[in-house]
Amino acid sequence: MKTNKGTIVEWYSAERMHEMSKNWLSDLNFIKDEQVFLEELITNYTQKILEEESLTRAQTATTALYRTKRGCEKLINQIVQHENDLRLMVDGKD
């Protein structure tokens, strides 16, 4: 471990980082599936939302969901790239 101005930085092996990034990717893909489910739920109940005058709350939730979805996609892409880079380190080839 290395300390830098009171911050502890822990160094992981390439194998450990590889396993961690696979777990992150798994978690993010689960979140992505849940986002699709929520989008479908909102779409299926749009008429009911309009009738019950819950439109403002639904719009807020939809906007938050969209932002989260974009952020999740960015993270997935970054972790896939990170995973690919780690795979090169772990496979033992030059």
Side-chain angles (χ1 to χ4, degrees):
M1 275 188 254
K2 179 181 175 184
T3 60
N4 184 10
K5 295 183 182 178
T7 303
I8 296 175
V9 178
E10 187 171 348
W11 296 98
Y12 296 110
S13 68
E15 291 82 11
R16 176 73 176 127
M17 290 189 296
H18 179 66
E19 287 301 315
M20 290 169 67
S21 66
K22 287 194 307 189
N23 288 334
W24 296 337
L25 197 53
S26 175
D27 290 345
L28 287 169
N29 281 320
F30 173 78
I31 290 168
K32 184 178 174 181
D33 290 342
E34 291 298 305
Q35 290 168 331
V36 169
F37 168 76
L38 290 172
E39 285 177 340
E40 290 174 357
L41 193 64
I42 290 171
T43 300
N44 292 338
Y45 287 92
T46 299
Q47 187 61 36
K48 189 174 181 179
I49 290 170
L50 292 173
E51 289 172 0
E52 294 180 4
E53 298 178 4
S54 302
L55 184 58
T56 303
R57 284 184 26 209
Q59 286 173 328
T60 301
T62 302
T63 300
L65 180 61
Y66 178 71
R67 286 183 183 147
T68 303
K69 184 178 178 181
R70 282 192 322 198
C72 186
E73 285 296 325
K74 283 182 180 180
L75 282 173
I76 287 173
N77 291 336
Q78 290 172 346
I79 292 172
V80 166
Q81 181 61 48
H82 181 68
E83 176 68 20
N84 290 339
D85 294 343
L86 287 171
R87 190 173 293 124
L88 292 174
M89 292 174 67
V90 173
D91 71 6
K93 299 178 184 176
D94 248 349

